[in-house]
Each structure stands twice: as C-alpha cells, then as structure tokens.
C-alpha cells in the first residue's frame, strides 16, 4: 500500500488498478475541475456546463449536482456531484447526454477534465 501511495504521489499513472469497493449505501462524491480555454470559450462552455448540470440532476441516483465558478478566473469552473451509489454515477457516465456533453465541451477546454471520486471517511 505504501508503494502504491508513493507511486501515485510521484505522478506515475497506475493502469489496471481497480478502485476500492464502495460500501453498500455509501454515497459517491465527485469533483470535476473544468479549465475552459480563455474568455472566448468561457461563455459557450459555461452554457454547455449549465445545461449538462440541469440534465444530470434528472439522472437516477443524483442527490446533488452543482456548477461553481472560480471568483478570480471566470474560465475555471467545478462540477460538484453527489450520487446515491457508484453504480448510479457509472450509469450517468454512460448516458447519452453525458457523452454528448463531453464531445461538445472538448474543443473549448484548456486542459483535460480533472474528475476525482470521493467517499466520506467514517
């Protein structure tokens, strides 16, 4: 386990490792940082993100889905999501509206979407 943490901390991409199993009934928290490619992309990208959030709130298992904008940089946003289960999140990832959103937002990005999954520690 220590070696795994050291590798992750050093920036080495670990492929083929599965995430720890989620305990039954445990909600999944997802934070996605979005860097839009400057002010020109910010307006169009924000509209896409607002629509994506509205569509995602209707998905099965969505507890909360918020869009936040960084105060000092209008082209930096974050999606904060809470899902009833990891399976609900994975179904959301496979949904047509999610795939469409990812295709449309791609040319407006200044960097890759930074999506991180979290659970609450006991």
């Amino acid at each position: 386990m220590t070696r795994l943490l050291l590798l992750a901390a050093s920036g080495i991409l670990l492929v083929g490792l599965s995430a720890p199993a989620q305990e039954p009934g445990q909600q999944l928290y997802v934070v996605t940082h979005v860097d839009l490619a400057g002010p020109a992309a910010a307006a169009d990208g924000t509209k896409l993100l607002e629509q994506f959030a509205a569509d995602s709130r209707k998905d099965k298992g969505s507890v909360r889905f918020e869009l936040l904008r960084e105060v000092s940089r209008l082209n930096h946003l974050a999606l904060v999501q809470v899902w009833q289960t990891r399976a609900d999140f994975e179904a959301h990832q496979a949904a047509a509206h999610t795939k469409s959103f990812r295709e449309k937002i791609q040319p407006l990005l200044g960097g890759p979407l930074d999506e991180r999954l979290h659970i609450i520690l006991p």
Side-chain angles (χ1 to χ4, degrees):
M1 183 68 162
T2 302
R3 183 169 182 224
L4 176 63
L5 291 174
L6 290 174
L7 288 172
S10 66
I12 297 172
L13 179 61
L14 302 171
V15 180
L17 296 176
S18 61
Q22 181 182 0
E23 292 182 27
Q26 190 173 33
Q27 292 182 334
L28 182 69
Y29 295 75
V30 181
V31 179
T32 306
H33 295 276
V34 182
D35 176 15
L36 297 170
D44 291 340
T46 299
K47 287 179 188 174
L48 284 173
L49 285 157
E50 289 170 338
Q51 185 60 54
F52 178 59
D55 293 341
S56 298
R57 288 181 187 113
K58 300 173 190 170
D59 286 349
K60 177 187 175 294
S62 174
V63 175
R64 188 166 186 137
F65 204 105
E66 301 297 336
L67 176 60
L68 309 175
R69 183 190 311 262
E70 191 171 322
V71 174
S72 61
R73 296 184 294 177
L74 301 181
N75 62 315
H76 286 241
L77 298 100
L79 293 168
V80 179
Q81 310 164 47
V82 182
W83 295 92
Q84 287 179 0
T85 67
R86 184 169 185 142
D88 290 332
F89 171 71
E90 289 172 358
H92 160 74
Q93 292 290 79
H97 74 90
T98 300
K99 291 178 181 180
S100 174
F101 162 75
R102 289 184 182 267
E103 288 174 12
K104 291 176 184 175
I105 198 78
Q106 189 62 42
L108 302 174
L109 294 175
L113 295 174
D114 181 4
E115 187 167 84
R116 299 176 188 210
L117 283 56
H118 306 270
I119 55 172
I120 292 181
L121 295 176

